[in-house]
Amino acid sequence: MADLTTDFLGIKSPNPFWLASAPPTDKEYNVRRAFEAGWGGVVWKTLGAEGPPVVNVNGPRYGVIYGKDRTVLGINNIELITDRDLYTNLEEIKRVKADYPDRAIIVSIMVPCEEEAWKAILPLVEDTGADGIELNFGCPHGMSERGMGAAVGQVPEYIEMVARWCKKYYSRPVIVKLTPNITDIRKPAEAAKRGGADAVSLINTINSITSVNLDTMSPEPSIDGKGTHGGYCGPAVKPIAMSMVSEIARNPATHGLPISGIGGVTTWRDAAEFITLGCGNVQVCTAAMTYGFKIVQEMISGLSQWMDEKGHTSIQDFMGAAVPNTTDWQYLNLNYVAKAQIDQDLCISCGRCFAACEDTSHQAIAMSDDRTFTVIDEECVACNLCVDVCPVEDCITMVALEPGTVDPRTGKVVQAEYANWTTHPNNPAATAAE
Amino acid sequence: MIDDGVLMNSPYTPGIAAQRLGSDELAKNFADLHAPLDRHEAMVAADRCYFCHDAPCITACPTDIDIPLFIRQIATDTPEAAAKTIFDMNILGGMCARVCPTEDLCEEACVRELAEGKPVEIGRLQRYATDTLMAKGEMPFTRAPSTGHKIAVVGAGPAGLSCAHRLAVLGHDVVVFDAMPKPGGLNEYGIAAYKSTEDFAAREAEWLCSIGGIEIRNEMVLGRDIALDDLEKDFSAVFLGMGLGGVNALSVEGDDKGGVEDAVSFIRTLRQSDDLSALPVGRNVVVIGGGMTAVDAAVQSKLLGADNVTIAYRRGRDAMSASRYEQDLAASSGVKLLFNVMPRAIHGNGTSAEIELEYTSTEGGTLKGTGETIRLPADQVFRAIGQTLHSDEGLTLEGRKIAVNETGRTSRVGVWAGGDCASGGDDLTVTAVAEGRDAAMDIHASLQG
Ligand SMILES: Cc1cc2nc3c(=O)[nH]c(=O)nc-3n(C[C@H](O)[C@H](O)[C@H](O)COP(=O)(O)OP(=O)(O)OC[C@H]3O[C@@H](n4cnc5c(N)ncnc54)[C@H](O)[C@@H]3O)c2cc1C
Ligand SMILES: Cc1cc2nc3c(=O)[nH]c(=O)nc-3n(C[C@H](O)[C@H](O)[C@H](O)COP(=O)(O)O)c2cc1C
Ligand code: SF4
Ligand code: SF4
Ligand code: SF4
């Protein structure tokens, strides 16, 4: 069986599945059971500075987006950092780490943006024996109003400054957790690197309102008639998270900076995808909150089966494998020409492809009186919309035209050579092709 | 084979006759009761599972398969991993997926049965997973280093095979003695044909033995070719999984007439026939009994082309041990279910022509005839009123079965038993598998000292 052992910043864990800093990692009782269930590591629920802990709302903290069978697609939350005493948390972390030396324990921290605050908490965290720290620069609600969390994460200079303090007062690896509530994710990642951080983790949750109650006119979750934006997470945010991860992985300024991938990881496949985009491991919150700790068993069995099938013996084998294939639009091959093709044996004549193409795309599907649907190659631009809306798997496929054949739409011969926008004659800024 | 154009007989041909239906119709009748799910159907079915905590379906499965986990593994497109989860607990998960009365077991307990009356299709999903892995010919287990122990298993039915496989995995060598020419027990000779198509029982037994270390010796009968004393001497431990070889007699007048037969032997012949059109069946068939065997004999008679098939059961519908689902299956196949009647006599000149039944009522817990009788035409009468232990091998009995504790230990040290021949549990394939597995674990523990 494939070896799932992961070495992230020198921190070893039996598998790449860590629980993200959130309610599942809020206390010793949970973390012990998470380890028993098989999780490779945890990032402890974010600790705040010494003193009276934060308070959470006493009404609903979560909003949800469902599929029609009440499948949880996305959750939003307005929870804050830990509302338990700092010292209680520290003692628990120390005890659990001592009992589980082979699992990773990372301590998430969020204290005010002052050197003294970090100088005060870091030695306490160091003393727990935890494997590293994660700086929560991501929480988008409540804490950000107090100048912490996303309020720091949105200012690259602050990130750099705090990362520097952490490297100064703490000897083990420092991970900076990034907020997605920012226009260009590369900037905070670069700042983290400049500050000396050993890695970044992303994404934290996304600003969101999941729904509005049309009777009370309050956004949900509603606390006594009022709501606020919360942090969105779960399967729905995965595409956004993966794009941000890939930006950091292929940015020359941060390429090679270790990444812990977070956002919607629910199955082994999600994890594999994040890892191919350059992540050294993944963190999970919503899937555990939806299905319980046991869900990691499927992630472990699925990832090892896939690795065995592909002949990967270690996580390293495919880490970052998709990064070289992630590029800018301008470098995509404009000489590649495909056409949609409908398998008439599989087609159930629903007409969805026709409606989509006829009304909103390129009028490239013909419908006969007996409801036979065929692609008009003269019109098809290979946009893929029909494939996306067809209810039958593999019924419509995209078939590449062989070089040397004529594209009936343009009347031009398909070229074998790669050619992109940078050299295209229609591009006013085109550089002459060699 | 006879094609439909030149059939010699029809359902209306009097007496017991072959070729009542053409081979096309027979092939249709005896095809898979539930067609296998394709990948898309399996994904949709799997998506309905809630991944319940401490799931009630697991508790309801006699082999404790981690159902939510295997269904999740199907949902994430790793049916092979799902199969491994199933086989970890139940190495005959492929057969169980086909024959388990899921409506009384896992699916009855499913929370979506409670919520919507539509359980997650656990049995069919189990089949999808196990079929996928078995089609690859993979045996997902390896053997532990040899322990040097050799263990005797009597009976190659579900109990014996499950026990043998687990022992082989644990590093023991196993010799399985079976009375019949083929392994599988009732999987091979008893289960309804439309539940185990395409020679599945034989393929499964072969796949199971591919673990290595299991030698099957066929046509070796305990009490005839081998003796328990010798097995005890020659092997480190003995497991008895010989099922119920005997059949209860009807003990009514005319029971010895031609056309009166044990349902299990009729089914055995049917299961081993490679040309169903050559198999004779009555025009008017009456089956006596109320269990799965009665239903299977009746349904398969109907599918062979019998004109009228009746199940005559001495108590009411609720007391029938065949599930409501099985009863409905019989009814929808055209079998008539007659309740509260018991056989009085079988009439006919040498061979059965009519059966005389008396209506019953239950008073103070005892069943009594009411005196009112009816007669039904009956060219063929099947006895399906239960099987019995063939030989007790001098072991202590509990009721009419070998007494065992919860790990299968019998009254004799070094001898374990499980499956239909042993006390406790329902007479089901899945129960036999669980008992064989648990006995293997206990044998292993006892040999480790
Ligand atoms: C007609 C019929 C239909 C059924 N349908 C279903 C169903 O749909 N679903 C379900 O769950 N259960 C069903 N059952 C019950 C199920 O088949 C049994 O519970 C199960 O097979 C018991 O397994 P076993 O290993 O204990 O015994 P068996 O399957 O009976 O196997 C016993 C084995 O021991 C061998 N043997 C017997 N005596 C000796 C001896 N003296 N020496 C050597 N070998 C010996 C036999 O040849 C046989 O191979 C059905 C039973 C019958 C009869
Ligand atoms: C209820 C809740 C509380 C959270 N609290 C924290 C926190 O204290 N610190 C933190 O860094 N992230 C926190 N997060 C964000 C998660 O760690 C994670 O980044 C996010 O949920 C995305 O991952 P997912 O899609 O697997 O849930 C929280 C998320 C949720 C749902
Ligand atoms: S959407 Fe798919 S199934 Fe429906 S008509 Fe088009 S090709 Fe056929
Ligand atoms: S073995 Fe039978 S009872 Fe158990 S889960 Fe499978 S189908 Fe259900
Ligand atoms: S009870 Fe039903 S829904 Fe719940 S885990 Fe079992 S199969 Fe799934």
Side-chain angles (χ1 to χ4, degrees):
Chain A
M1 202 176 86
D3 179 11
L4 298 190
T5 317
T6 335
D7 181 338
F8 189 71
L9 314 176
I11 305 165
K12 303 247 177 8
S13 58
N15 61 57
F17 304 107
W18 292 8
L19 282 167
S21 174
T25 63
D26 187 35
K27 52 174 90 71
E28 178 175 2
Y29 173 75
N30 280 4
V31 173
R32 282 184 185 275
R33 286 182 309 128
F35 284 158
E36 290 308 317
W39 291 89
V42 302
V43 182
W44 202 277
K45 173 77 181 170
T46 306
L47 307 185
E50 190 174 349
V54 302
V55 293
N56 273 299
V57 293
N58 300 300
R61 295 178 196 187
Y62 303 121
V64 64
I65 299 292
Y66 281 131
K68 288 299 170 231
D69 204 12
R70 282 178 81 89
T71 312
V72 172
L73 302 178
I75 281 186
N76 109 337
N77 83 89
I78 54 169
E79 180 178 284
L80 304 182
I81 62 174
T82 185
D83 52 14
R84 302 186 323 134
D85 177 65
L86 173 65
Y87 289 96
T88 308
N89 275 305
L90 292 170
E91 282 159 25
E92 290 184 1
I93 293 168
K94 191 169 185 169
R95 271 203 300 271
V96 181
K97 182 63 210 179
D99 287 349
Y100 292 91
D102 67 322
R103 310 299 173 94
I105 298 189
I106 307 295
V107 179
S108 171
I109 310 175
M110 181 196 289
V111 293
C113 218
E114 299 149 8
E115 186 164 357
E116 283 313 305
W118 292 91
K119 192 176 170 183
I121 197 169
L122 288 170
L124 303 176
V125 172
E126 181 107 40
D127 178 59
T128 62
D131 300 290
I133 56 172
E134 186 180 79
L135 315 186
N136 179 350
F137 292 156
C139 185
H141 46 259
M143 303 314 291
S144 51
E145 294 157 20
R146 302 172 206 185
M148 293 181 268
V152 180
Q154 286 162 341
V155 185
E157 292 73 20
Y158 290 175
I159 293 179
E160 182 177 341
M161 180 175 73
V162 178
R164 230 179 267 292
W165 294 336
C166 290
K167 287 308 286 184
K168 187 160 141 198
Y169 299 115
Y170 183 72
S171 71
R172 298 192 183 201
V174 175
I175 305 167
V176 171
K177 183 166 180 177
L178 303 178
T179 175
N181 299 308
I182 188 164
T183 315
D184 185 349
I185 197 69
R186 293 174 299 185
K187 296 293 180 285
E190 288 168 14
K193 191 176 176 193
R194 279 196 307 274
D198 300 280
V200 290
S201 56
L202 68 160
I203 58 174
N204 209 310
T205 54
I206 304 177
N207 283 343
S208 60
I209 288 176
T210 44
S211 58
V212 174
N213 184 318
L214 293 180
D215 297 321
T216 63
M217 292 299 165
S218 167
E220 305 279 7
S222 173
I223 309 291
D224 195 22
K226 298 244 185 309
T228 182
H229 68 82
Y232 201 37
C233 52
V237 309
K238 179 186 147 198
I240 299 164
M242 291 212 298
S243 170
M244 291 187 163
V245 161
S246 78
E247 291 286 291
I248 295 170
R250 67 194 192 86
N251 175 9
T254 49
H255 182 73
L257 179 68
I259 306 172
S260 182
I262 318 171
V265 175
T266 313
T267 69
W268 69 268
R269 169 177 269 278
D270 302 326
E273 291 178 11
F274 270 98
I275 293 169
T276 63
L277 288 171
C279 296
N281 69 8
V282 292
Q283 296 182 28
V284 178
C285 168
T286 305
M289 288 179 57
T290 309
Y291 301 106
F293 291 143
K294 182 179 161 177
I295 198 75
V296 74
Q297 291 181 20
E298 177 282 325
M299 299 183 187
I300 292 170
S301 71
L303 187 63
S304 22
Q305 178 177 327
W306 174 76
M307 285 170 64
D308 286 346
E309 281 168 11
K310 293 287 177 190
H312 298 309
T313 51
S314 75
I315 300 286
Q316 228 58 35
D317 269 11
F318 61 98
M319 196 179 124
V323 176
N325 293 329
T326 313
T327 183
D328 295 337
W329 190 96
Q330 62 178 339
Y331 299 120
L332 298 176
N333 184 2
L334 293 174
N335 278 348
Y336 173 84
V337 182
K339 298 285 169 195
Q341 204 172 71
I342 297 176
D343 182 337
Q344 298 298 341
D345 292 336
L346 292 178
C347 176
I348 56 173
S349 293
C350 67
R352 282 178 68 161
C353 55
F354 181 83
C357 190
E358 187 72 4
D359 292 359
T360 72
S361 194
H362 291 77
Q363 298 75 46
I365 293 179
M367 174 179 169
S368 72
D369 289 343
D370 68 347
R371 297 185 69 83
T372 304
F373 295 88
T374 40
V375 175
I376 307 164
D377 285 351
E378 286 73 12
E379 304 296 338
C380 176
V381 300
C383 73
N384 209 47
L385 183 64
C386 54
V387 175
D388 296 343
V389 301
C390 176
V392 182
E393 203 176 324
D394 296 331
C395 176
I396 313 183
T397 43
M398 282 296 158
V399 181
L401 296 188
E402 287 297 324
T405 56
V406 174
D407 176 356
R409 184 174 71 88
T410 58
K412 290 190 182 139
V413 175
V414 177
Q415 303 296 314
E417 302 76 42
Y418 159 89
N420 63 45
W421 176 244
T422 61
T423 57
H424 197 277
N426 290 15
N427 180 357
T431 50
E434 286 294 301
Chain B
M1 293 223 178
I2 306 296
D3 84 43
D4 298 21
V6 290
L7 268 188
M8 289 166 65
N9 292 313
S10 81
Y12 313 113
T13 308
I16 300 179
Q19 294 177 15
R20 290 186 184 273
L21 299 176
S23 45
D24 287 354
E25 203 169 341
L26 285 171
K28 223 184 296 159
N29 286 354
F30 285 88
D32 244 323
L33 181 59
H34 301 289
L37 297 174
D38 68 21
R39 178 173 166 278
H40 179 78
E41 290 170 318
M43 291 291 194
V44 174
D47 198 47
R48 294 187 65 237
C49 173
Y50 291 143
F51 201 73
C52 298
H53 177 70
D54 194 7
C57 54
I58 305 182
T59 314
C61 171
T63 53
D64 295 306
I65 293 172
D66 191 338
I67 294 165
L69 179 60
F70 96 69
I71 295 183
R72 180 107 196 138
Q73 288 166 321
I74 291 175
T76 59
D77 213 6
T78 51
E80 298 84 356
K84 174 75 166 52
T85 302
I86 294 161
F87 292 136
D88 274 341
M89 299 307 282
N90 180 337
I91 196 66
L92 280 95
M95 183 58 83
C96 286
R98 292 162 163 80
V99 306
C100 272
T102 53
E103 64 279 4
D104 289 339
L105 299 170
C106 52
E107 293 181 17
E108 180 182 52
C110 174
V111 298
R112 296 200 80 157
E113 166 65 27
L114 182 71
E116 302 149 75
K118 264 191 255 149
V120 173
E121 292 182 281
I122 302 168
R124 295 181 81 192
L125 285 165
Q126 178 167 319
R127 174 164 175 192
Y128 172 73
T130 51
D131 278 5
T132 304
L133 188 70
M134 287 173 72
K136 295 189 168 174
E138 273 171 40
M139 166 50 62
F141 297 92
T142 49
R143 297 186 66 197
S146 171
T147 60
H149 286 294
K150 220 176 175 106
I151 293 155
V153 169
V154 180
L161 288 176
S162 159
C163 182
H165 185 273
R166 183 56 67 98
L167 290 169
V169 167
L170 294 168
H172 307 287
D173 285 333
V174 188
V175 179
V176 184
F177 300 93
D178 195 283
M180 300 295 282
K182 293 191 204 169
L186 290 170
N187 287 356
E188 175 63 46
Y189 295 102
I191 294 293
Y194 44 78
K195 290 185 187 170
S196 167
T197 57
E198 290 164 348
D199 222 8
F200 183 76
R203 286 191 285 126
E204 184 179 50
E206 192 186 331
W207 169 83
L208 181 147
C209 289
S210 70
I211 182 76
I214 302 175
E215 182 199 338
I216 298 190
R217 296 196 195 150
N218 291 114
E219 297 180 85
M220 294 288 279
V221 179
L222 180 67
R224 185 189 77 189
D225 311 304
I226 39 173
L228 188 54
D229 289 341
D230 294 333
L231 292 180
E232 266 209 277
K233 245 182 275 141
D234 300 342
F235 294 86
S236 307
V238 181
F239 175 80
L240 301 176
M242 62 233 183
L244 298 173
V247 175
N248 288 328
L250 262 189
S251 56
V252 297
E253 184 198 327
D255 183 39
D256 53 352
K257 286 195 196 303
V260 183
E261 203 186 332
D262 290 333
V264 283
S265 54
F266 165 70
I267 294 170
R268 191 183 312 131
T269 311
L270 187 148
R271 283 295 308 275
Q272 298 306 309
S273 151
D274 45 20
D275 178 7
L276 289 174
S277 67
L279 203 67
V281 69
R283 172 180 183 177
N284 298 303
V285 177
V286 176
V287 184
I288 310 295
M292 229 182 250
T293 305
V295 169
D296 286 0
V299 170
Q300 292 178 109
S301 299
K302 189 73 195 165
L303 298 179
L304 279 174
D307 184 19
N308 294 305
V309 180
T310 309
I311 291 177
Y313 178 53
R314 61 193 179 128
R315 298 180 193 275
R317 185 189 275 284
D318 293 342
M320 225 175 152
S321 70
S323 67
R324 183 62 196 239
Y325 170 81
E326 299 274 342
Q327 296 172 29
D328 291 347
L329 177 71
S332 69
S333 310
V335 171
K336 185 170 178 211
L337 298 166
L338 207 56
F339 298 105
N340 302 311
V341 287
M342 60 184 182
R344 269 277 153 254
I346 294 161
H347 303 286
N349 190 3
T351 59
S352 169
E354 260 186 1
I355 185 163
E356 185 180 338
L357 303 162
E358 180 181 359
Y359 281 92
T360 65
S361 71
T362 308
E363 278 157 37
T366 44
L367 190 81
K368 290 213 306 233
T370 63
E372 181 193 354
T373 60
I374 50 160
R375 288 183 175 221
L376 295 180
D379 319 301
Q380 203 166 23
V381 176
F382 291 125
R383 310 178 197 98
I385 53 171
Q387 286 100 260
T388 55
L389 196 59
H390 210 68
S391 148
D392 59 20
E393 293 300 326
L395 299 164
T396 304
L397 298 185
E398 183 180 324
R400 300 164 72 191
K401 296 183 164 199
I402 299 171
V404 290
N405 74 355
E406 66 283 359
T407 54
R409 293 186 186 209
T410 67
S411 57
R412 189 163 170 174
V413 178
V415 180
W416 279 256
D420 286 0
C421 70
S423 62
D426 296 323
D427 286 351
L428 292 174
T429 309
V430 65
T431 313
V433 174
E435 291 171 1
R437 176 200 71 193
D438 294 347
M441 294 310 292
D442 195 43
I443 290 171
H444 179 67
S446 79
L447 293 178
Q448 299 301 71

